[in-house]
Amino acid sequence: MTSAAGSARTSRATDHPSPVRPHRPRWGRTARWSGWLYVLPAMLMYAVFVLRPLALTFQYSLYQWNGIGVARWAGLDNYLTVFTDSDLLKIISNAFVLIIFFSLIPVALGLLVASLVRRISAGPFGTAVRTILFLPQVIPLVAAGIAWSWLLSSNGLVNQVLGAVGLGGLARAWLGDFDTALPAVGVIGAWVLLGLCTILMVTGMSKIDPALYEAARIDGAGPVREFFAVTLPSLRHEIGVCLTVTVIAALASFDIVYISTSGGPGLQTTVPGLEIYRLAFSQRQVGLASALAVVLMLLVLACVLPIQRLTREDKG
Amino acid sequence: MYGFSTKYSRRRLVVLASLLAAAATVTACSAPGADPESPGDSAAPARTELGTEPITLEMYAETGFPLAKALADEFTKQHPNVTFNVREDQFTVIVENAPRVLASDNAPDVIRLPTMVDLVKDGLLKNLDPYFTAYGWDTFPASQLVQLRVAEGGRPRGTGSLYGMGLGYSVTGVFYNKTLAERVGMTQPPATIAEFEDLLAKAKTAGVQPIMQFNKNTAGVNFPHQALQNQFGDPAQIADWIFQKPGATFDTPAALKATQTIQRWARAGYFPKDANALDYTAMMGEFQKGNGLFMFNGDWESGTLDKSTSGNVGFFLFPTEAGGGRHVAMSAPNTFGVGAKAKHPDAAAFFLNWVHTNAKAREISVTVGGSHPGGPSDLAVPAVAEGSVLAQTLKASQQLGSENGAVDFTANATGGIFAAAITPEMQKLVAGQQTPEGYVKAVQAEYEKELSR
């Protein structure tokens, strides 16, 4: 470390024989270099395990390749397939439907629950509520998927409850029915992500200055007005984080779908993540799978960047 | 705050982009994939002695099927210098892993194979022709190994060089619950499809689930579908399609009629209402609990059913359309092959030959695997308990062999046909979301798409 800093100093001295204000730039320059040294290991890992695979995926997407044999140059054909194949378009649209369940519902419910438990959040009861709500986040998604597929099976708890309250006519194999499979998968996702959203909101609310609420009260605001005038604007950051995380979870979903329905019935619940995996490893179309992966990445960015922009902008 | 963060992120973007570009230029120089390797050394003399040198055979087998491990253990008992290092995975995982595992330096000597066509095309499997000659496998019935032959370049299958052997040769048909059969008045297995359908209707009226069949994850309804298709037309047509012979098509009157029948059965409620939400394990559980008169499945479950239902289950080959005549059923080897890069191919071939010819090994194949052990026609099939369903499936297997009625599964036609077409389309058909015509055309379209690659 000392030798590196020393050599940087000498080389700098020879490069610039007549430095103006010698002290500060020298110190700044050295610090910058040693800073890079600190992040070098992390950068290397990042390059090897993130950037290289990313570049390779992009490269593969331009070929027709089965993963073993010789690849054939395909140009943009794979991308053309992604955007014209009706099955693949349906699969992509499924992911957008999941956004409703994975993002909008947990965020809306999370806000609601958080504002309800805000007042009690300090006491032991608040801790219990937070723990219970956060629990789904701790359970592995695979376990959650299995548990829910039992609950939603044709003789599972959901149908038993429906039967018990006289709604037996509604009972069905929720995950095997063409009309209900995707919403059923969505419900599992909403259950998993609700806890995360609630916890983030509760944390965000605890940072709001109580004086604001007091002022609102004095101005005659009811709980609803209070929520929209004070709570919601103050939670802009938290909502942004929630939306970002959950939209990514929706678009890149895999585990829950793979476990609960395997994408069926038909293509009703097949999502891009699952299809990429199938194309690459079971159908051995590495090129097309990579193209779909690149498209999925761009879709995620296209959805998440505006959210980031909208919620980060601070007028103050 | 805002200004700083954008500036910062913009700079980070520039750094990212340049790193990405650098990575891209490094990797984009050459096309992915290995150069085509020289084809397997099929001319090398095949050694039929095991030797005494201690060796370890790498085996890649299927989880949930204890046969391979049982045979390996017995082999080590008889030949202590050979031990096995067994790796097990679910079949679907093997399907996904096989190409990469076989291409690696530590390729398995003995591997449970999914469809072999792609693997042969990529030169990943050992050509077993030299061993065929050296061990005299020509004394086996030719039909036994026909599914394991692949022409040069991977297409068509069913002809050309030998690339695998069976650890048992399974047969499929219909299992039935004896108690429920009595209740609906079935005194003997149906002799025609009409009789079979009559029993389905009777079961439905009696409040008995006529057919217990899974259709989640993979299309279990493809079992009854092909059982019907086998009877409605020339099975050679189906075999040609599965073996990828030029000009073969799925769009045939037989396939259409079979699909129409399945649609009719689905509408009549002969399949479980939640078939699309039932997986294989759930189906087995329901059937063993006594839920379902019939179940289309294979003899690999005979041992389990004998044990779990204490003899309350029977088996018959799916009947022909007009009664009598030649039975046709799906029957396939429990295929194992030898990796082209395997370290001990001679020992692996010795093992495969031993499985077919050693008396103890044949007994294990039957009692543990539940299937016909294959091998030379003049070797007796090991005896099993009279009256068991295992005895029935073994007899059916021999009958099928003598009637030359074995066809492979349509699901094995190409590497992706089952997952990409048969499963989703069958799920749609059963749920009333697809027409029979649409089903047949969709399967054929996917087949052509895959073959054109």
PDB file of all heavy atoms in Angstrom, chain A residues 2 13 30 48 82 87 112 137 147-148 154 163 183 261 264 275 279 307:
ATOM      1  N   THR A   2       1.824   1.263   0.919  1.00  0.00           N
ATOM      2  CA  THR A   2       2.694   2.438   0.986  1.00  0.00           C
ATOM      3  C   THR A   2       3.498   2.575  -0.295  1.00  0.00           C
ATOM      4  O   THR A   2       3.648   3.663  -0.830  1.00  0.00           O
ATOM      5  CB  THR A   2       3.675   2.345   2.179  1.00  0.00           C
ATOM      6  OG1 THR A   2       3.774   1.005   2.573  1.00  0.00           O
ATOM      7  CG2 THR A   2       3.237   3.232   3.328  1.00  0.00           C
ATOM      8  N   ALA A  13       4.870  13.422  -9.850  1.00  0.00           N
ATOM      9  CA  ALA A  13       5.836  14.513  -9.767  1.00  0.00           C
ATOM     10  C   ALA A  13       6.577  14.690 -11.094  1.00  0.00           C
ATOM     11  O   ALA A  13       6.805  15.803 -11.550  1.00  0.00           O
ATOM     12  CB  ALA A  13       6.829  14.246  -8.642  1.00  0.00           C
ATOM     13  N   THR A  30      -3.617  10.759  -4.982  1.00  0.00           N
ATOM     14  CA  THR A  30      -3.218   9.523  -4.315  1.00  0.00           C
ATOM     15  C   THR A  30      -4.426   8.828  -3.717  1.00  0.00           C
ATOM     16  O   THR A  30      -4.597   7.625  -3.857  1.00  0.00           O
ATOM     17  CB  THR A  30      -2.221   9.827  -3.180  1.00  0.00           C
ATOM     18  OG1 THR A  30      -1.412  10.895  -3.592  1.00  0.00           O
ATOM     19  CG2 THR A  30      -1.414   8.607  -2.856  1.00  0.00           C
ATOM     20  N   VAL A  48     -16.034 -10.462 -13.660  1.00  0.00           N
ATOM     21  CA  VAL A  48     -16.020 -11.881 -14.025  1.00  0.00           C
ATOM     22  C   VAL A  48     -17.419 -12.499 -13.901  1.00  0.00           C
ATOM     23  O   VAL A  48     -17.838 -13.290 -14.739  1.00  0.00           O
ATOM     24  CB  VAL A  48     -15.010 -12.649 -13.150  1.00  0.00           C
ATOM     25  CG1 VAL A  48     -15.133 -14.145 -13.368  1.00  0.00           C
ATOM     26  CG2 VAL A  48     -13.603 -12.182 -13.476  1.00  0.00           C
ATOM     27  N   VAL A  82     -38.418 -13.406 -30.826  1.00  0.00           N
ATOM     28  CA  VAL A  82     -38.976 -12.973 -29.545  1.00  0.00           C
ATOM     29  C   VAL A  82     -40.142 -12.014 -29.762  1.00  0.00           C
ATOM     30  O   VAL A  82     -41.156 -12.094 -29.084  1.00  0.00           O
ATOM     31  CB  VAL A  82     -37.885 -12.306 -28.676  1.00  0.00           C
ATOM     32  CG1 VAL A  82     -38.503 -11.636 -27.456  1.00  0.00           C
ATOM     33  CG2 VAL A  82     -36.852 -13.320 -28.252  1.00  0.00           C
ATOM     34  N   ASP A  87     -46.541 -17.153 -28.887  1.00  0.00           N
ATOM     35  CA  ASP A  87     -46.382 -17.773 -27.568  1.00  0.00           C
ATOM     36  C   ASP A  87     -45.464 -16.926 -26.680  1.00  0.00           C
ATOM     37  O   ASP A  87     -45.761 -16.688 -25.509  1.00  0.00           O
ATOM     38  CB  ASP A  87     -45.779 -19.180 -27.702  1.00  0.00           C
ATOM     39  CG  ASP A  87     -46.813 -20.179 -28.197  1.00  0.00           C
ATOM     40  OD1 ASP A  87     -47.995 -19.794 -28.266  1.00  0.00           O
ATOM     41  OD2 ASP A  87     -46.436 -21.308 -28.525  1.00  0.00           O
ATOM     42  N   LEU A 112     -51.525   0.631   3.456  1.00  0.00           N
ATOM     43  CA  LEU A 112     -52.702   0.585   4.311  1.00  0.00           C
ATOM     44  C   LEU A 112     -52.350  -0.026   5.667  1.00  0.00           C
ATOM     45  O   LEU A 112     -52.618   0.561   6.725  1.00  0.00           O
ATOM     46  CB  LEU A 112     -53.785  -0.252   3.610  1.00  0.00           C
ATOM     47  CG  LEU A 112     -55.129  -0.313   4.313  1.00  0.00           C
ATOM     48  CD1 LEU A 112     -55.816   1.033   4.205  1.00  0.00           C
ATOM     49  CD2 LEU A 112     -56.001  -1.406   3.689  1.00  0.00           C
ATOM     50  N   GLN A 137     -41.184 -13.277   3.921  1.00  0.00           N
ATOM     51  CA  GLN A 137     -39.939 -12.880   3.279  1.00  0.00           C
ATOM     52  C   GLN A 137     -38.793 -13.814   3.673  1.00  0.00           C
ATOM     53  O   GLN A 137     -37.832 -13.976   2.946  1.00  0.00           O
ATOM     54  CB  GLN A 137     -39.610 -11.448   3.698  1.00  0.00           C
ATOM     55  CG  GLN A 137     -38.701 -10.712   2.748  1.00  0.00           C
ATOM     56  CD  GLN A 137     -39.338 -10.532   1.387  1.00  0.00           C
ATOM     57  OE1 GLN A 137     -40.516 -10.288   1.275  1.00  0.00           O
ATOM     58  NE2 GLN A 137     -38.540 -10.673   0.348  1.00  0.00           N
ATOM     59  N   ALA A 147     -46.239 -24.889  -0.210  1.00  0.00           N
ATOM     60  CA  ALA A 147     -47.316 -24.732   0.767  1.00  0.00           C
ATOM     61  C   ALA A 147     -48.578 -24.182   0.098  1.00  0.00           C
ATOM     62  O   ALA A 147     -49.681 -24.675   0.319  1.00  0.00           O
ATOM     63  CB  ALA A 147     -46.861 -23.799   1.888  1.00  0.00           C
ATOM     64  N   TRP A 148     -48.386 -23.180  -0.750  1.00  0.00           N
ATOM     65  CA  TRP A 148     -49.547 -22.590  -1.416  1.00  0.00           C
ATOM     66  C   TRP A 148     -50.180 -23.532  -2.419  1.00  0.00           C
ATOM     67  O   TRP A 148     -51.393 -23.499  -2.628  1.00  0.00           O
ATOM     68  CB  TRP A 148     -49.157 -21.270  -2.090  1.00  0.00           C
ATOM     69  CG  TRP A 148     -49.257 -20.122  -1.148  1.00  0.00           C
ATOM     70  CD1 TRP A 148     -48.245 -19.615  -0.384  1.00  0.00           C
ATOM     71  CD2 TRP A 148     -50.416 -19.361  -0.827  1.00  0.00           C
ATOM     72  NE1 TRP A 148     -48.707 -18.585   0.376  1.00  0.00           N
ATOM     73  CE2 TRP A 148     -50.043 -18.397   0.123  1.00  0.00           C
ATOM     74  CE3 TRP A 148     -51.734 -19.398  -1.265  1.00  0.00           C
ATOM     75  CZ2 TRP A 148     -50.936 -17.486   0.654  1.00  0.00           C
ATOM     76  CZ3 TRP A 148     -52.636 -18.480  -0.739  1.00  0.00           C
ATOM     77  CH2 TRP A 148     -52.239 -17.533   0.208  1.00  0.00           C
ATOM     78  N   SER A 154     -57.267 -28.883  -5.349  1.00  0.00           N
ATOM     79  CA  SER A 154     -58.725 -29.035  -5.439  1.00  0.00           C
ATOM     80  C   SER A 154     -59.337 -29.484  -4.117  1.00  0.00           C
ATOM     81  O   SER A 154     -60.494 -29.193  -3.843  1.00  0.00           O
ATOM     82  CB  SER A 154     -59.090 -29.996  -6.563  1.00  0.00           C
ATOM     83  OG  SER A 154     -58.293 -31.140  -6.482  1.00  0.00           O
ATOM     84  N   GLY A 163     -66.223 -24.419   0.855  1.00  0.00           N
ATOM     85  CA  GLY A 163     -67.305 -25.378   1.045  1.00  0.00           C
ATOM     86  C   GLY A 163     -67.992 -25.167   2.380  1.00  0.00           C
ATOM     87  O   GLY A 163     -69.225 -25.226   2.491  1.00  0.00           O
ATOM     88  N   PRO A 183     -53.898 -15.489 -11.728  1.00  0.00           N
ATOM     89  CA  PRO A 183     -54.195 -14.751 -10.494  1.00  0.00           C
ATOM     90  C   PRO A 183     -53.783 -15.528  -9.241  1.00  0.00           C
ATOM     91  O   PRO A 183     -53.298 -14.923  -8.284  1.00  0.00           O
ATOM     92  CB  PRO A 183     -55.721 -14.583 -10.547  1.00  0.00           C
ATOM     93  CG  PRO A 183     -56.057 -14.637 -11.989  1.00  0.00           C
ATOM     94  CD  PRO A 183     -55.076 -15.584 -12.602  1.00  0.00           C
ATOM     95  N   THR A 261     -46.911 -24.159 -10.599  1.00  0.00           N
ATOM     96  CA  THR A 261     -47.632 -24.555 -11.818  1.00  0.00           C
ATOM     97  C   THR A 261     -46.724 -25.060 -12.934  1.00  0.00           C
ATOM     98  O   THR A 261     -47.222 -25.632 -13.904  1.00  0.00           O
ATOM     99  CB  THR A 261     -48.405 -23.364 -12.419  1.00  0.00           C
ATOM    100  OG1 THR A 261     -47.460 -22.386 -12.814  1.00  0.00           O
ATOM    101  CG2 THR A 261     -49.386 -22.775 -11.427  1.00  0.00           C
ATOM    102  N   GLY A 264     -47.952 -24.059 -16.390  1.00  0.00           N
ATOM    103  CA  GLY A 264     -49.219 -24.527 -16.950  1.00  0.00           C
ATOM    104  C   GLY A 264     -50.400 -23.907 -16.243  1.00  0.00           C
ATOM    105  O   GLY A 264     -50.222 -23.097 -15.348  1.00  0.00           O
ATOM    106  N   GLU A 275     -39.363 -19.475 -19.132  1.00  0.00           N
ATOM    107  CA  GLU A 275     -39.180 -19.821 -20.538  1.00  0.00           C
ATOM    108  C   GLU A 275     -37.694 -19.762 -20.922  1.00  0.00           C
ATOM    109  O   GLU A 275     -37.216 -20.598 -21.684  1.00  0.00           O
ATOM    110  CB  GLU A 275     -40.015 -18.876 -21.418  1.00  0.00           C
ATOM    111  CG  GLU A 275     -40.012 -19.209 -22.898  1.00  0.00           C
ATOM    112  CD  GLU A 275     -40.704 -20.527 -23.237  1.00  0.00           C
ATOM    113  OE1 GLU A 275     -41.326 -21.124 -22.352  1.00  0.00           O
ATOM    114  OE2 GLU A 275     -40.604 -20.958 -24.397  1.00  0.00           O
ATOM    115  N   LEU A 279     -35.949 -22.881 -22.519  1.00  0.00           N
ATOM    116  CA  LEU A 279     -35.335 -22.790 -23.843  1.00  0.00           C
ATOM    117  C   LEU A 279     -33.871 -23.171 -23.776  1.00  0.00           C
ATOM    118  O   LEU A 279     -33.370 -23.905 -24.616  1.00  0.00           O
ATOM    119  CB  LEU A 279     -35.472 -21.367 -24.395  1.00  0.00           C
ATOM    120  CG  LEU A 279     -36.840 -20.958 -24.936  1.00  0.00           C
ATOM    121  CD1 LEU A 279     -36.848 -19.473 -25.260  1.00  0.00           C
ATOM    122  CD2 LEU A 279     -37.194 -21.758 -26.172  1.00  0.00           C
ATOM    123  N   ILE A 307     -39.507   4.570 -12.688  1.00  0.00           N
ATOM    124  CA  ILE A 307     -39.940   4.555 -11.279  1.00  0.00           C
ATOM    125  C   ILE A 307     -38.885   5.257 -10.425  1.00  0.00           C
ATOM    126  O   ILE A 307     -39.189   6.106  -9.587  1.00  0.00           O
ATOM    127  CB  ILE A 307     -40.142   3.103 -10.789  1.00  0.00           C
ATOM    128  CG1 ILE A 307     -41.286   2.442 -11.545  1.00  0.00           C
ATOM    129  CG2 ILE A 307     -40.405   3.073  -9.286  1.00  0.00           C
ATOM    130  CD1 ILE A 307     -41.489   0.983 -11.219  1.00  0.00           C
TER     131      ILE A 307
END
